[in-house]
């Protein structure tokens, strides 16, 4: 037994296991749905330390296949024994794309914690999709069953005005360097809710029951956000939610939004080479794309292009303060009122 | 101008500049002693981003030499300009061991933030000592002027009992691996004050006015700690304090103790391959050494040897619960009382 597994590997799992929002979402989704799990066969894709497999056993699963490709499978074997689940959980050391499962090779439920930063980056969604096609019985469940990636313009004071006064010293030339360094790759930050400048917009929605690997190669969307609190526009913030099936109660949602307790995913910020004062009602237009890296299937890049809000089509009921939108809204509302009175 | 300086370098300085306990100790020590700085010549050893040099200029220094060996000197030049201190602060790109200073080559004050983890590891004390010998006028000041390294037995629940129940799953086999991985090198942790098991003891005390480079090659001390709160003995915690000269008020002390607000140094923990239940009054004996690495002058190693408290000599007034110490204390106190009555 190799106790001296790479410290970096252990630290990654430590960080995930210390994320109580993550643990508790899976705990509630699984243990709160014993009717779904009772007597069923489960596949845990990328089982890691095996905690989700133990949840499934505790929820009454008849059989759990905990598939883990890395050496971490050794830890999951220990955890399974420590929790006296050897009769239910079978740890399989291998790649879920190549393993085969015992008996008819099918399962009733797939559980997986596959989400990476900004949902897809360094995640394992492809493996979950392929495992679904190969192993999930028709009508089977996926935990989670859908995922949404959100974005919104935001303030990034930690790259800007936070440095105006460091114990009486102005350090904006330092923050300028931080900012320049941040342009090349997205940042993982703890964004405060008051720094999110508009209602969230959806960049990507994935129904895990239907999605294909090609569906998550590249998504590009043009957004027109309307500022709902005055502030400085310095970046685009991204976060995701996942929701789990439920027969009875409200479905459990795991959210990495700035409004929710911080998770180990934090929020992702694309810093912009600008620092623009914006006010309530002001429209902000941008293109944003999330694209799979050509060099590494598991990596994704984010690209933001700032657009002139006068050059893009505003939605019919746009709430921005541009005269055209105010007039259009007034006309539409008047028309609706007339329709209702007839 | 190279804006794309290594992200890692910038992150190190960001981390230090965001440490408000550190900033504020230097700010108070320097700005609270304008009588010391007014009209004087100052050397800032390892100036980094230059924040301490700006403090000195603000405190009335006539001239500040900000010596920085790395490319960070470029940032300090920008910060000096941003704070309009070009006439007072001269940034010198070079190693303090080889540079020479203008005029008579002497200064009245040396400031430096040279402290590494557990005071010495990856710090710059040698450079400060050599700069003192080479540049400091007799009777000059050192900021800070002394430093103390403390140690105490402690609990380390994050490697132990914190893992007994992770959302209902027992993960002690995981923490066992974390613990085994931690035996090879000290950990940087945020230790809670209630996890410190005894009064602090001093491992090292450095008077920067007198110390030589050889004084900090190796220090080994045998400690007998007396447990002052029951708990589990799982490691040795180390932290340091530095104090600054003052003509008037109480000297400013920068403390990285678990009792004080967290700094970027955190606390250092040497994890032990044991988990021993100890109770109030119980003696804990250990040897601890801090030793300069033979391969790299700036690195230090820590070694702890656990000793049997029955094998070491207890101090005269030992407060431990061993019968011999209780009796000795009673006899000594009786004798003292008799002396006082005579």
């Amino acid at each position: 037994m190799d106790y001296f597994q790479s410290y970096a590997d252990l630290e990654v799992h430590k960080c995930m296991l210390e994320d109580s929002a993550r643990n508790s979402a899976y705990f509630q989704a699984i243990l709160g749905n014993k009717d779904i799990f009772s007597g069923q066969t489960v596949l845990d894709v990328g089982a890691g330390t095996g905690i989700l497999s133990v949840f499934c056993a505790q929820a009454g699963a008849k059989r759990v296949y905990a598939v883990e490709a890395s050496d971490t499978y050794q830890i999951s074997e220990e955890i399974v024994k420590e929790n006296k689940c050897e009769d239910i959980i079978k740890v399989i050391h291998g790649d879920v794309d190549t393993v085969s499962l015992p008996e008819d090779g099918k399962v009733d439920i797939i559980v997986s914690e596959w989400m990476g930063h900004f949902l897809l980056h360094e995640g394992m969604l492809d493996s979950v999709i392929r495992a679904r096609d190969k192993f999930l019985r028709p009508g089977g469940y996926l935990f989670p069953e859908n995922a949404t990636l959100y974005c919104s313009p935001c303030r990034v004071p930690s790259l800007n005005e936070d440095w105006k006064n460091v114990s009486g010293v102005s350090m904006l030339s330092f923050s300028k360097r931080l900012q320049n360094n941040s342009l090349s790759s997205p940042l993982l930050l703890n964004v405060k809710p008051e720094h999110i400048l508009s209602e969230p917009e959806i960049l990507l929605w994935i129904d895990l029951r239907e999605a294909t690997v090609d569906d998550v190669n590249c998504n590009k969307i043009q957004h027109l956000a309307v500022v709902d609190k005055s502030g400085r526009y310095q970046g685009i913030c991204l976060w995701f939610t996942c929701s789990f099936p439920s027969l009875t109660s409200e479905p459990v949602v795991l959210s990495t939004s700035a409004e929710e307790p911080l998770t180990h995913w934090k929020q992702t910020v694309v810093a912009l080479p600008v620092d623009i004062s914006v006010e309530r009602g002001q429209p902000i237009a941008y293109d944003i794309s999330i694209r799979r890296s050509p060099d590494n299937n598991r990596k994704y890049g984010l690209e933001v292009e700032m657009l002139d809000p006068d050059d893009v089509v505003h939605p019919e009921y746009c709430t921005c303060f541009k005269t055209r939108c105010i007039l259009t809204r007034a006309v539409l509302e008047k028309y609706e009122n007339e329709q209702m009175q007839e």
Side-chain angles (χ1 to χ4, degrees), chain A residues 143-172:
Chain A
F143 278 71
E145 71 178 352
N146 62 60
T148 312
L149 180 60
Y150 295 92
C151 57
S152 174
C154 68
R155 288 179 55 192
V156 196
S158 60
L159 294 181
N160 294 278
E161 60 270 31
D162 279 359
W163 297 90
K164 264 184 195 158
N165 182 338
V166 181
S167 296
V169 177
S170 176
M171 304 206 78
L172 292 174

PDB file of all heavy atoms in Angstrom, chain A residues 143-172:
ATOM      1  N   PHE A 143     -27.500  11.544 -11.572  1.00  0.00           N
ATOM      2  CA  PHE A 143     -27.304  12.468 -10.439  1.00  0.00           C
ATOM      3  C   PHE A 143     -26.002  13.197 -10.641  1.00  0.00           C
ATOM      4  O   PHE A 143     -24.959  12.565 -10.471  1.00  0.00           O
ATOM      5  CB  PHE A 143     -27.272  11.684  -9.114  1.00  0.00           C
ATOM      6  CG  PHE A 143     -28.630  11.359  -8.571  1.00  0.00           C
ATOM      7  CD1 PHE A 143     -29.433  10.423  -9.190  1.00  0.00           C
ATOM      8  CD2 PHE A 143     -29.096  12.000  -7.426  1.00  0.00           C
ATOM      9  CE1 PHE A 143     -30.689  10.121  -8.686  1.00  0.00           C
ATOM     10  CE2 PHE A 143     -30.348  11.707  -6.916  1.00  0.00           C
ATOM     11  CZ  PHE A 143     -31.156  10.771  -7.539  1.00  0.00           C
ATOM     12  N   PRO A 144     -25.972  14.479 -10.991  1.00  0.00           N
ATOM     13  CA  PRO A 144     -27.091  15.367 -11.289  1.00  0.00           C
ATOM     14  C   PRO A 144     -27.659  15.088 -12.672  1.00  0.00           C
ATOM     15  O   PRO A 144     -27.014  14.420 -13.475  1.00  0.00           O
ATOM     16  CB  PRO A 144     -26.450  16.756 -11.244  1.00  0.00           C
ATOM     17  CG  PRO A 144     -25.035  16.524 -11.646  1.00  0.00           C
ATOM     18  CD  PRO A 144     -24.677  15.169 -11.112  1.00  0.00           C
ATOM     19  N   GLU A 145     -28.850  15.660 -12.948  1.00  0.00           N
ATOM     20  CA  GLU A 145     -29.437  15.411 -14.270  1.00  0.00           C
ATOM     21  C   GLU A 145     -29.410  16.621 -15.186  1.00  0.00           C
ATOM     22  O   GLU A 145     -29.602  16.486 -16.382  1.00  0.00           O
ATOM     23  CB  GLU A 145     -30.851  14.823 -14.173  1.00  0.00           C
ATOM     24  CG  GLU A 145     -31.924  15.781 -13.694  1.00  0.00           C
ATOM     25  CD  GLU A 145     -33.313  15.114 -13.679  1.00  0.00           C
ATOM     26  OE1 GLU A 145     -33.466  13.985 -14.179  1.00  0.00           O
ATOM     27  OE2 GLU A 145     -34.237  15.743 -13.133  1.00  0.00           O
ATOM     28  N   ASN A 146     -29.181  17.805 -14.644  1.00  0.00           N
ATOM     29  CA  ASN A 146     -28.894  18.909 -15.556  1.00  0.00           C
ATOM     30  C   ASN A 146     -27.995  19.952 -14.923  1.00  0.00           C
ATOM     31  O   ASN A 146     -27.778  19.951 -13.706  1.00  0.00           O
ATOM     32  CB  ASN A 146     -30.165  19.528 -16.150  1.00  0.00           C
ATOM     33  CG  ASN A 146     -31.056  20.117 -15.102  1.00  0.00           C
ATOM     34  OD1 ASN A 146     -30.633  21.019 -14.385  1.00  0.00           O
ATOM     35  ND2 ASN A 146     -32.284  19.607 -14.996  1.00  0.00           N
ATOM     36  N   ALA A 147     -27.426  20.785 -15.775  1.00  0.00           N
ATOM     37  CA  ALA A 147     -26.436  21.761 -15.329  1.00  0.00           C
ATOM     38  C   ALA A 147     -26.582  23.022 -16.163  1.00  0.00           C
ATOM     39  O   ALA A 147     -26.901  22.950 -17.354  1.00  0.00           O
ATOM     40  CB  ALA A 147     -25.027  21.199 -15.488  1.00  0.00           C
ATOM     41  N   THR A 148     -26.390  24.170 -15.525  1.00  0.00           N
ATOM     42  CA  THR A 148     -26.533  25.453 -16.213  1.00  0.00           C
ATOM     43  C   THR A 148     -25.318  26.317 -15.910  1.00  0.00           C
ATOM     44  O   THR A 148     -24.895  26.405 -14.754  1.00  0.00           O
ATOM     45  CB  THR A 148     -27.800  26.187 -15.715  1.00  0.00           C
ATOM     46  OG1 THR A 148     -28.894  25.272 -15.719  1.00  0.00           O
ATOM     47  CG2 THR A 148     -28.125  27.379 -16.599  1.00  0.00           C
ATOM     48  N   LEU A 149     -24.769  26.932 -16.950  1.00  0.00           N
ATOM     49  CA  LEU A 149     -23.644  27.851 -16.775  1.00  0.00           C
ATOM     50  C   LEU A 149     -24.154  29.276 -16.981  1.00  0.00           C
ATOM     51  O   LEU A 149     -24.766  29.573 -18.013  1.00  0.00           O
ATOM     52  CB  LEU A 149     -22.545  27.516 -17.791  1.00  0.00           C
ATOM     53  CG  LEU A 149     -21.272  28.367 -17.764  1.00  0.00           C
ATOM     54  CD1 LEU A 149     -20.566  28.270 -16.413  1.00  0.00           C
ATOM     55  CD2 LEU A 149     -20.326  27.931 -18.887  1.00  0.00           C
ATOM     56  N   TYR A 150     -23.955  30.124 -15.984  1.00  0.00           N
ATOM     57  CA  TYR A 150     -24.445  31.504 -16.019  1.00  0.00           C
ATOM     58  C   TYR A 150     -23.300  32.487 -16.191  1.00  0.00           C
ATOM     59  O   TYR A 150     -22.156  32.180 -15.840  1.00  0.00           O
ATOM     60  CB  TYR A 150     -25.143  31.850 -14.698  1.00  0.00           C
ATOM     61  CG  TYR A 150     -26.389  31.059 -14.423  1.00  0.00           C
ATOM     62  CD1 TYR A 150     -26.328  29.870 -13.698  1.00  0.00           C
ATOM     63  CD2 TYR A 150     -27.628  31.502 -14.866  1.00  0.00           C
ATOM     64  CE1 TYR A 150     -27.474  29.139 -13.425  1.00  0.00           C
ATOM     65  CE2 TYR A 150     -28.785  30.783 -14.599  1.00  0.00           C
ATOM     66  CZ  TYR A 150     -28.702  29.605 -13.882  1.00  0.00           C
ATOM     67  OH  TYR A 150     -29.834  28.888 -13.614  1.00  0.00           O
ATOM     68  N   CYS A 151     -23.624  33.676 -16.671  1.00  0.00           N
ATOM     69  CA  CYS A 151     -22.614  34.733 -16.714  1.00  0.00           C
ATOM     70  C   CYS A 151     -23.265  36.088 -16.464  1.00  0.00           C
ATOM     71  O   CYS A 151     -24.479  36.251 -16.630  1.00  0.00           O
ATOM     72  CB  CYS A 151     -21.866  34.732 -18.044  1.00  0.00           C
ATOM     73  SG  CYS A 151     -22.918  34.911 -19.479  1.00  0.00           S
ATOM     74  N   SER A 152     -22.434  37.017 -16.043  1.00  0.00           N
ATOM     75  CA  SER A 152     -22.909  38.375 -15.784  1.00  0.00           C
ATOM     76  C   SER A 152     -21.710  39.317 -15.712  1.00  0.00           C
ATOM     77  O   SER A 152     -20.655  38.931 -15.215  1.00  0.00           O
ATOM     78  CB  SER A 152     -23.664  38.397 -14.449  1.00  0.00           C
ATOM     79  OG  SER A 152     -24.012  39.719 -14.119  1.00  0.00           O
ATOM     80  N   PRO A 153     -21.868  40.548 -16.214  1.00  0.00           N
ATOM     81  CA  PRO A 153     -20.806  41.538 -16.006  1.00  0.00           C
ATOM     82  C   PRO A 153     -20.592  41.755 -14.506  1.00  0.00           C
ATOM     83  O   PRO A 153     -21.539  41.625 -13.720  1.00  0.00           O
ATOM     84  CB  PRO A 153     -21.365  42.811 -16.655  1.00  0.00           C
ATOM     85  CG  PRO A 153     -22.407  42.335 -17.611  1.00  0.00           C
ATOM     86  CD  PRO A 153     -22.994  41.106 -16.998  1.00  0.00           C
ATOM     87  N   CYS A 154     -19.361  42.062 -14.113  1.00  0.00           N
ATOM     88  CA  CYS A 154     -19.081  42.205 -12.684  1.00  0.00           C
ATOM     89  C   CYS A 154     -17.964  43.211 -12.424  1.00  0.00           C
ATOM     90  O   CYS A 154     -17.232  43.594 -13.331  1.00  0.00           O
ATOM     91  CB  CYS A 154     -18.698  40.853 -12.073  1.00  0.00           C
ATOM     92  SG  CYS A 154     -17.125  40.211 -12.658  1.00  0.00           S
ATOM     93  N   ARG A 155     -17.890  43.614 -11.180  1.00  0.00           N
ATOM     94  CA  ARG A 155     -16.742  44.375 -10.694  1.00  0.00           C
ATOM     95  C   ARG A 155     -15.644  43.396 -10.299  1.00  0.00           C
ATOM     96  O   ARG A 155     -15.937  42.276  -9.880  1.00  0.00           O
ATOM     97  CB  ARG A 155     -17.124  45.183  -9.446  1.00  0.00           C
ATOM     98  CG  ARG A 155     -18.026  46.367  -9.708  1.00  0.00           C
ATOM     99  CD  ARG A 155     -18.367  47.073  -8.393  1.00  0.00           C
ATOM    100  NE  ARG A 155     -17.150  47.435  -7.675  1.00  0.00           N
ATOM    101  CZ  ARG A 155     -17.123  47.841  -6.408  1.00  0.00           C
ATOM    102  NH1 ARG A 155     -18.240  47.923  -5.710  1.00  0.00           N
ATOM    103  NH2 ARG A 155     -15.977  48.153  -5.829  1.00  0.00           N
ATOM    104  N   VAL A 156     -14.372  43.815 -10.436  1.00  0.00           N
ATOM    105  CA  VAL A 156     -13.247  43.006  -9.963  1.00  0.00           C
ATOM    106  C   VAL A 156     -12.316  43.927  -9.168  1.00  0.00           C
ATOM    107  O   VAL A 156     -11.193  44.213  -9.578  1.00  0.00           O
ATOM    108  CB  VAL A 156     -12.479  42.341 -11.137  1.00  0.00           C
ATOM    109  CG1 VAL A 156     -11.588  41.213 -10.606  1.00  0.00           C
ATOM    110  CG2 VAL A 156     -13.429  41.796 -12.200  1.00  0.00           C
ATOM    111  N   PRO A 157     -12.781  44.405  -8.006  1.00  0.00           N
ATOM    112  CA  PRO A 157     -11.973  45.393  -7.261  1.00  0.00           C
ATOM    113  C   PRO A 157     -10.605  44.858  -6.851  1.00  0.00           C
ATOM    114  O   PRO A 157      -9.667  45.634  -6.709  1.00  0.00           O
ATOM    115  CB  PRO A 157     -12.841  45.711  -6.034  1.00  0.00           C
ATOM    116  CG  PRO A 157     -13.858  44.631  -5.953  1.00  0.00           C
ATOM    117  CD  PRO A 157     -14.048  44.106  -7.343  1.00  0.00           C
ATOM    118  N   SER A 158     -10.473  43.520  -6.718  1.00  0.00           N
ATOM    119  CA  SER A 158      -9.178  42.970  -6.291  1.00  0.00           C
ATOM    120  C   SER A 158      -8.108  43.136  -7.359  1.00  0.00           C
ATOM    121  O   SER A 158      -6.924  42.917  -7.101  1.00  0.00           O
ATOM    122  CB  SER A 158      -9.321  41.494  -5.911  1.00  0.00           C
ATOM    123  OG  SER A 158      -9.781  40.749  -7.027  1.00  0.00           O
ATOM    124  N   LEU A 159      -8.505  43.510  -8.581  1.00  0.00           N
ATOM    125  CA  LEU A 159      -7.519  43.828  -9.620  1.00  0.00           C
ATOM    126  C   LEU A 159      -7.477  45.326  -9.875  1.00  0.00           C
ATOM    127  O   LEU A 159      -6.787  45.784 -10.789  1.00  0.00           O
ATOM    128  CB  LEU A 159      -7.883  43.138 -10.941  1.00  0.00           C
ATOM    129  CG  LEU A 159      -7.822  41.620 -10.982  1.00  0.00           C
ATOM    130  CD1 LEU A 159      -8.195  41.131 -12.366  1.00  0.00           C
ATOM    131  CD2 LEU A 159      -6.433  41.139 -10.607  1.00  0.00           C
ATOM    132  N   ASN A 160      -8.249  46.088  -9.124  1.00  0.00           N
ATOM    133  CA  ASN A 160      -8.383  47.504  -9.432  1.00  0.00           C
ATOM    134  C   ASN A 160      -8.357  48.355  -8.164  1.00  0.00           C
ATOM    135  O   ASN A 160      -7.324  48.445  -7.512  1.00  0.00           O
ATOM    136  CB  ASN A 160      -9.677  47.726 -10.238  1.00  0.00           C
ATOM    137  CG  ASN A 160      -9.638  47.069 -11.618  1.00  0.00           C
ATOM    138  OD1 ASN A 160      -9.091  47.624 -12.537  1.00  0.00           O
ATOM    139  ND2 ASN A 160     -10.201  45.873 -11.753  1.00  0.00           N
ATOM    140  N   GLU A 161      -9.513  48.896  -7.780  1.00  0.00           N
ATOM    141  CA  GLU A 161      -9.536  49.941  -6.757  1.00  0.00           C
ATOM    142  C   GLU A 161      -9.132  49.485  -5.355  1.00  0.00           C
ATOM    143  O   GLU A 161      -8.814  50.321  -4.511  1.00  0.00           O
ATOM    144  CB  GLU A 161     -10.893  50.660  -6.734  1.00  0.00           C
ATOM    145  CG  GLU A 161     -12.091  49.792  -6.432  1.00  0.00           C
ATOM    146  CD  GLU A 161     -12.730  49.196  -7.690  1.00  0.00           C
ATOM    147  OE1 GLU A 161     -12.000  48.935  -8.671  1.00  0.00           O
ATOM    148  OE2 GLU A 161     -13.943  48.959  -7.673  1.00  0.00           O
ATOM    149  N   ASP A 162      -9.120  48.154  -5.094  1.00  0.00           N
ATOM    150  CA  ASP A 162      -8.640  47.688  -3.785  1.00  0.00           C
ATOM    151  C   ASP A 162      -7.202  48.137  -3.520  1.00  0.00           C
ATOM    152  O   ASP A 162      -6.741  48.100  -2.379  1.00  0.00           O
ATOM    153  CB  ASP A 162      -8.665  46.150  -3.707  1.00  0.00           C
ATOM    154  CG  ASP A 162     -10.055  45.614  -3.402  1.00  0.00           C
ATOM    155  OD1 ASP A 162     -10.983  46.425  -3.234  1.00  0.00           O
ATOM    156  OD2 ASP A 162     -10.209  44.377  -3.353  1.00  0.00           O
ATOM    157  N   TRP A 163      -6.481  48.500  -4.572  1.00  0.00           N
ATOM    158  CA  TRP A 163      -5.058  48.815  -4.447  1.00  0.00           C
ATOM    159  C   TRP A 163      -4.782  50.311  -4.398  1.00  0.00           C
ATOM    160  O   TRP A 163      -3.631  50.732  -4.442  1.00  0.00           O
ATOM    161  CB  TRP A 163      -4.287  48.151  -5.599  1.00  0.00           C
ATOM    162  CG  TRP A 163      -4.414  46.669  -5.524  1.00  0.00           C
ATOM    163  CD1 TRP A 163      -5.381  45.904  -6.112  1.00  0.00           C
ATOM    164  CD2 TRP A 163      -3.597  45.769  -4.772  1.00  0.00           C
ATOM    165  NE1 TRP A 163      -5.200  44.581  -5.776  1.00  0.00           N
ATOM    166  CE2 TRP A 163      -4.114  44.471  -4.956  1.00  0.00           C
ATOM    167  CE3 TRP A 163      -2.468  45.938  -3.962  1.00  0.00           C
ATOM    168  CZ2 TRP A 163      -3.550  43.349  -4.361  1.00  0.00           C
ATOM    169  CZ3 TRP A 163      -1.902  44.817  -3.373  1.00  0.00           C
ATOM    170  CH2 TRP A 163      -2.447  43.543  -3.570  1.00  0.00           C
ATOM    171  N   LYS A 164      -5.861  51.115  -4.303  1.00  0.00           N
ATOM    172  CA  LYS A 164      -5.672  52.567  -4.261  1.00  0.00           C
ATOM    173  C   LYS A 164      -5.019  53.017  -2.969  1.00  0.00           C
ATOM    174  O   LYS A 164      -4.383  54.064  -2.910  1.00  0.00           O
ATOM    175  CB  LYS A 164      -7.039  53.265  -4.378  1.00  0.00           C
ATOM    176  CG  LYS A 164      -7.375  53.688  -5.786  1.00  0.00           C
ATOM    177  CD  LYS A 164      -8.692  54.453  -5.816  1.00  0.00           C
ATOM    178  CE  LYS A 164      -9.199  54.558  -7.245  1.00  0.00           C
ATOM    179  NZ  LYS A 164     -10.642  54.795  -7.303  1.00  0.00           N
ATOM    180  N   ASN A 165      -5.238  52.249  -1.898  1.00  0.00           N
ATOM    181  CA  ASN A 165      -4.747  52.666  -0.593  1.00  0.00           C
ATOM    182  C   ASN A 165      -4.398  51.441   0.243  1.00  0.00           C
ATOM    183  O   ASN A 165      -5.250  50.850   0.888  1.00  0.00           O
ATOM    184  CB  ASN A 165      -5.828  53.504   0.108  1.00  0.00           C
ATOM    185  CG  ASN A 165      -5.358  54.009   1.456  1.00  0.00           C
ATOM    186  OD1 ASN A 165      -4.435  53.462   2.066  1.00  0.00           O
ATOM    187  ND2 ASN A 165      -5.993  55.059   1.935  1.00  0.00           N
ATOM    188  N   VAL A 166      -3.132  51.037   0.189  1.00  0.00           N
ATOM    189  CA  VAL A 166      -2.654  49.905   0.986  1.00  0.00           C
ATOM    190  C   VAL A 166      -1.870  50.500   2.148  1.00  0.00           C
ATOM    191  O   VAL A 166      -0.729  50.928   1.977  1.00  0.00           O
ATOM    192  CB  VAL A 166      -1.766  48.961   0.143  1.00  0.00           C
ATOM    193  CG1 VAL A 166      -1.295  47.782   0.984  1.00  0.00           C
ATOM    194  CG2 VAL A 166      -2.508  48.482  -1.098  1.00  0.00           C
ATOM    195  N   SER A 167      -2.488  50.593   3.308  1.00  0.00           N
ATOM    196  CA  SER A 167      -1.871  51.259   4.467  1.00  0.00           C
ATOM    197  C   SER A 167      -1.311  52.623   4.078  1.00  0.00           C
ATOM    198  O   SER A 167      -0.171  52.953   4.419  1.00  0.00           O
ATOM    199  CB  SER A 167      -0.764  50.391   5.086  1.00  0.00           C
ATOM    200  OG  SER A 167      -1.293  49.196   5.598  1.00  0.00           O
ATOM    201  N   GLY A 168      -2.091  53.379   3.310  1.00  0.00           N
ATOM    202  CA  GLY A 168      -1.689  54.738   2.968  1.00  0.00           C
ATOM    203  C   GLY A 168      -0.826  54.855   1.723  1.00  0.00           C
ATOM    204  O   GLY A 168      -0.448  55.955   1.328  1.00  0.00           O
ATOM    205  N   VAL A 169      -0.488  53.723   1.096  1.00  0.00           N
ATOM    206  CA  VAL A 169       0.350  53.750  -0.106  1.00  0.00           C
ATOM    207  C   VAL A 169      -0.511  53.405  -1.323  1.00  0.00           C
ATOM    208  O   VAL A 169      -1.289  52.455  -1.288  1.00  0.00           O
ATOM    209  CB  VAL A 169       1.533  52.763   0.022  1.00  0.00           C
ATOM    210  CG1 VAL A 169       2.366  52.732  -1.253  1.00  0.00           C
ATOM    211  CG2 VAL A 169       2.396  53.135   1.227  1.00  0.00           C
ATOM    212  N   SER A 170      -0.379  54.197  -2.381  1.00  0.00           N
ATOM    213  CA  SER A 170      -1.122  53.943  -3.612  1.00  0.00           C
ATOM    214  C   SER A 170      -0.375  52.889  -4.426  1.00  0.00           C
ATOM    215  O   SER A 170       0.798  53.064  -4.743  1.00  0.00           O
ATOM    216  CB  SER A 170      -1.243  55.251  -4.395  1.00  0.00           C
ATOM    217  OG  SER A 170      -1.884  55.005  -5.618  1.00  0.00           O
ATOM    218  N   MET A 171      -1.043  51.761  -4.748  1.00  0.00           N
ATOM    219  CA  MET A 171      -0.354  50.668  -5.429  1.00  0.00           C
ATOM    220  C   MET A 171      -1.064  50.275  -6.720  1.00  0.00           C
ATOM    221  O   MET A 171      -1.100  49.101  -7.092  1.00  0.00           O
ATOM    222  CB  MET A 171      -0.210  49.475  -4.476  1.00  0.00           C
ATOM    223  CG  MET A 171       0.494  49.854  -3.176  1.00  0.00           C
ATOM    224  SD  MET A 171       1.354  48.491  -2.367  1.00  0.00           S
ATOM    225  CE  MET A 171       2.844  48.368  -3.346  1.00  0.00           C
ATOM    226  N   LEU A 172      -1.598  51.273  -7.428  1.00  0.00           N
ATOM    227  CA  LEU A 172      -2.322  50.965  -8.661  1.00  0.00           C
ATOM    228  C   LEU A 172      -1.396  50.442  -9.756  1.00  0.00           C
ATOM    229  O   LEU A 172      -1.829  49.694 -10.631  1.00  0.00           O
ATOM    230  CB  LEU A 172      -3.101  52.194  -9.139  1.00  0.00           C
ATOM    231  CG  LEU A 172      -4.266  52.577  -8.212  1.00  0.00           C
ATOM    232  CD1 LEU A 172      -4.899  53.880  -8.674  1.00  0.00           C
ATOM    233  CD2 LEU A 172      -5.314  51.466  -8.155  1.00  0.00           C
TER     234      LEU A 172
END
